[in-house]
């Protein structure tokens, strides 16, 4: 472990996060829920979406830009589907509550689809389909995010890194959990390279002139990320299609701010000049496997699927073939033992928060 | 137009296809339906999925490997969701009938999700969500296909090119239609390069030893396609995740043959030694926009979304930013005028079919 990191016990980190949210006026149960969503990331090695984001939630709550006590409102409903207004609450609270509604609908109708507007950043997308898996359902979640990605052939930031996540239950093997940004890489990877003074691969981003660059600072200074596939030869139009689909399902369908109008997730970023909806948007879906197939048969097939994929002969110089969710499970088992590695920069942020809201550091 | 192509009027091609299917025992209305699905591809420039595939459907029907008169059966149902057994029918007939069921359910429940097993190749994935758009719904379709793609880090073919398609209605602008294979490129692109004696970009495929190759013949000779993203740096694990999700939703959920066990779509390919289900699988979903948001408001937002994306400043050396569906619409308007360009190789196949089933050539 490099010196820049301090190991913190996962329960201590959860308690700190919960208390910070409580100190900002978030009700006790919702503070614990929001902390659970962030802890999911830290405990599973998704360092970009956990405690590293607490400062931003803190700033936005403190500045009154996020509502600590939202009242969710059903805007429209038709049996299996509905749109919920998140009342400008924390995405970390609005998200799980809306996935719960999707699950409730799935128990009743065989599936449930919830579009959400007037919400904020909801943490790691993978948290939500796992809620469905606990009910033996298939789960899907997606969200639009602040602009950072150029459409295929474009040089301007017009779409977010718009992630998509799906999870499928299994029997004796662990569940399959898919969770990825529709850009080639998340912005966090460019930031890390910048911090470490490293060059990045061509295909990750453009500079402010719309030219491919391998220098992180040239992307940060007015450039844009590229959609999954990156180039014409790599089929970058496919990543653009994915990002577009996530944007439409999450934000156009719910009446949120879509595309370049998405609300920024940063205290210092200017709000877009035009508002085309309310907040950002999420989309959740769950399906009851029993409505399609005997649950045990499905789970046995999933076990077979997982074992089959893992047994694929590796490519030359490649590591073992994994199934989606394996890397996060590996991090989880290490971090439950060793604690969560928190970078010094983040630790300094936690100190500031601790002093500001009088919650002792973990 | 190069000499190798003959222009054929779209209606003549439709009539020919319909009559070929009829001559093989497909009922009149279903023959016209199957021809419509193939014509959609030819008329929209998706040359890999139209008349170029007729010979394979013909061979499989003639050999009794596809049932010309399937009776679709509901295997399971729970309100908004259901699994249908396609009775080993043409995917070109089973597909539209199952999307119709998804649409019917959507009228009733706000959404409809249909998993299909015991079916065959269903043509271009984009045909199906457009059926939903005609009802002012959002549509989704996906299918698993014969193995051709290596999982991330693997060198063996374990998954199909498993496409995913979505479509969204709009008001004055044309609809957004997304349709792409989850591999970096479809096999057809490698075949075309091979025919033309061209080199292909690294990142499209591996040779039989699991090494990247730019020679199409080395992929064709026991190699594999790569998932979208291609490499570690390009986030090839994301394409693998997508292909896996399509495989599970289409084939594991419905009880079809998944992954490397998917039924081959070629008369000369050996069947996999093990059957883990019935036929291949599709997954269809539709959502009623009115269950989420006022339809006209949604469509106006879609128009705004489309115009906004099209107005993105192009990257250096890039062409105009398009919205998904634009290239196919351009082909459509040209081909309605000029006819469908049919390659001499395909024309020779049509001649064979014509002689065999006594249907005059178009």
């Amino acid at each position: 472990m490099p010196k820049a990191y301090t190991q913190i016990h996962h329960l201590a980190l959860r308690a700190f996060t919960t208390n910070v949210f409580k100190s900002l006026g978030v009700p006790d149960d919702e503070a614990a829920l929001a902390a659970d969503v962030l802890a999911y990331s830290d405990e599973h090695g998704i360092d970009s979406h956990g405690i590293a984001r607490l400062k931003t939630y803190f700033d936005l709550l403190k500045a009154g830009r996020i509502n600590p006590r939202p009242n969710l409102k059903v805007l429209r409903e038709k049996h299996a589907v509905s749109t919920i207004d998140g009342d400008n609450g924390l995405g970390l609270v609005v998200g799980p509550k809306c996935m719960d509604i999707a699950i409730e609908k799935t128990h009743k109708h065989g599936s449930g689809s919830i579009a959400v507007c007037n919400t904020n950043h909801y943490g790691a997308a993978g948290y939500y389909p796992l809620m469905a898996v606990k009910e033996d359902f298939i789960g899907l979640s997606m969200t639009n995010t602040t602009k950072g990605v150029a459409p295929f052939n474009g040089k301007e930031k017009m779409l977010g890194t718009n992630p998509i996540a799906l999870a499928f239950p299994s029997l004796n093997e662990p569940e399959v959990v898919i969770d990825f940004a529709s850009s080639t890489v998340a912005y966090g990877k460019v930031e890390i390279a910048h911090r470490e003074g490293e060059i990045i691969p061509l295909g990750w981003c453009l500079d402010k002139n719309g030219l491919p660059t391998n220098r992180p600072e040239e992307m940060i200074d007015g450039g844009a990320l590229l959609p999954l596939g990156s180039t014409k030869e790599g089929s970058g139009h496919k990543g653009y299609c994915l990002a577009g689909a996530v944007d439409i399902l999450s934000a156009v369908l719910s009446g949120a701010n879509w595309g370049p109008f998405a609300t920024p997730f940063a205290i210092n970023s200017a709000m877009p000049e035009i508002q085309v909806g309310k907040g950002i948007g999420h989309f959740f879906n769950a399906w009851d496997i029993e409505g399609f197939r005997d649950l045990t048969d499905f789970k046995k097939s999933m076990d077979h699927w997982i074992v089959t994929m893992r047994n694929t002969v590796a490519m030359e110089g490649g590591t073992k073939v994994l199934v989606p969710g394996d890397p996060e499970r590996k991090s989880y088992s290490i971090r439950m033992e060793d604690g969560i590695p928190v970078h010094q920069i983040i630790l300094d942020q936690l100190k500031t928060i601790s002093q500001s809201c009088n919650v002792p550091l973990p």
Side-chain angles (χ1 to χ4, degrees), chain A residues 2 4-5 45-50 52-53 185-201 204-205 214-217 219-220 225 335 341 343 345-346:
Chain A
Y5 290 86
I46 310 163
D47 289 328
S48 49
H49 283 66
R53 294 268 173 92
V185 294
Y187 181 62
K189 286 212 175 184
V190 178
E191 268 185 320
I192 291 168
H194 185 234
R195 199 184 298 146
E196 313 282 341
E198 284 168 2
I199 294 293
I200 52 177
W204 284 15
C205 46
N214 61 2
R215 304 180 65 90
E217 64 275 18
M219 183 268 144
I220 293 166
L225 294 169
R335 289 175 177 207
H343 194 279
I345 292 173
I346 307 304

Side-chain angles (χ1 to χ4, degrees), chain A residues 8-345:
Chain A
I8 302 182
H9 193 277
H10 66 102
L11 292 179
L13 209 55
R14 275 175 180 263
F16 177 74
T17 309
T18 306
N19 289 328
V20 168
F21 283 130
K22 277 159 73 171
S23 82
L24 290 159
V26 177
D28 290 7
D29 55 339
E30 296 184 0
L33 181 59
D36 189 57
V37 179
L38 288 187
Y40 166 80
S41 285
D42 291 314
E43 293 168 7
H44 289 82
I46 310 163
D47 289 328
S48 49
H49 283 66
I51 195 74
R53 294 268 173 92
L54 185 62
K55 181 66 164 59
T56 304
Y57 292 109
F58 173 82
D59 289 343
L60 293 171
L61 278 163
K62 209 163 165 78
R65 297 222 335 231
I66 290 180
N67 177 2
R69 294 179 167 272
N71 287 309
L72 272 56
K73 204 167 72 187
V74 176
L75 293 182
R76 281 215 170 206
E77 187 162 33
K78 183 181 171 184
H79 311 301
V81 314
S82 177
T83 294
I84 307 286
D85 183 318
D87 197 19
N88 193 30
L90 278 168
L92 308 171
V93 169
V94 175
K97 290 196 169 193
C98 289
M99 189 72 200
D100 267 337
I101 300 170
I103 288 169
E104 208 179 286
K105 283 191 175 298
T106 304
H107 278 292
K108 219 172 181 173
H109 303 287
S111 75
S113 309
I114 305 294
V116 193
C117 68
N118 205 7
T119 177
N120 292 284
H121 205 284
Y122 78 170
Y127 180 89
Y128 303 96
L130 281 169
M131 291 174 65
V133 162
K134 279 178 198 148
E135 309 281 323
D136 280 330
F137 294 164
I138 292 168
L140 166 75
S141 110
M142 50 181 85
T143 184
N144 76 325
T145 65
T146 320
K147 66 176 180 177
V149 181
F152 180 62
N153 279 330
K155 77 172 193 183
E156 287 176 286
K157 292 174 182 165
M158 296 296 275
L159 291 159
T161 51
N162 299 1
I164 182 163
L166 279 144
F168 304 93
S170 45
L171 198 63
N172 299 312
E173 296 294 329
E175 61 274 0
V176 169
V177 193
I178 289 168
D179 177 2
F180 63 88
S182 52
S183 47
T184 299
V185 294
Y187 181 62
K189 286 212 175 184
V190 178
E191 268 185 320
I192 291 168
H194 185 234
R195 199 184 298 146
E196 313 282 341
E198 284 168 2
I199 294 293
I200 52 177
L202 283 175
W204 284 15
C205 46
L206 302 174
D207 68 15
K208 65 182 169 191
N209 299 314
L211 290 167
T213 179
N214 61 2
R215 304 180 65 90
E217 64 275 18
E218 291 188 347
M219 183 268 144
I220 293 166
D221 177 27
L225 294 169
L226 284 165
L228 177 60
S230 303
T231 59
K232 190 181 175 194
E233 290 182 341
S235 295
H237 66 285
K238 297 184 180 185
Y240 167 42
C241 284
L242 263 185
V246 171
D247 197 43
I248 294 169
L249 283 168
S250 303
V252 179
L253 187 58
S254 69
N257 290 296
W258 44 261
F261 307 109
T263 319
F265 179 68
I267 192 73
N268 296 322
S269 290
M271 293 288 281
E273 281 176 35
I274 305 170
Q275 297 261 307
V276 296
K278 290 191 287 182
I280 61 163
H282 315 314
F283 183 78
F284 300 106
N285 213 114
W287 292 272
D288 183 352
I289 293 161
E290 282 279 10
F292 295 97
R293 196 179 171 195
D294 175 79
L295 180 63
T296 307
D297 286 348
F298 174 84
K299 287 182 162 185
K300 281 183 187 164
S301 290
M302 282 303 301
D303 280 5
H304 190 186
W305 192 93
I306 291 165
V307 170
T308 303
M309 291 303 150
R310 286 217 185 106
N311 284 339
T312 307
V313 178
M315 65 184 287
E316 288 301 309
T319 53
K320 212 179 130 34
V321 171
L322 304 176
V323 297
D326 281 345
E328 291 78 12
R329 278 186 286 268
K330 194 178 167 192
S331 290
Y332 183 80
S333 66
I334 294 170
R335 289 175 177 207
M336 285 298 106
E337 200 71 29
D338 298 351
I340 313 290
V342 179
H343 194 279
Q344 190 56 47
I345 292 173

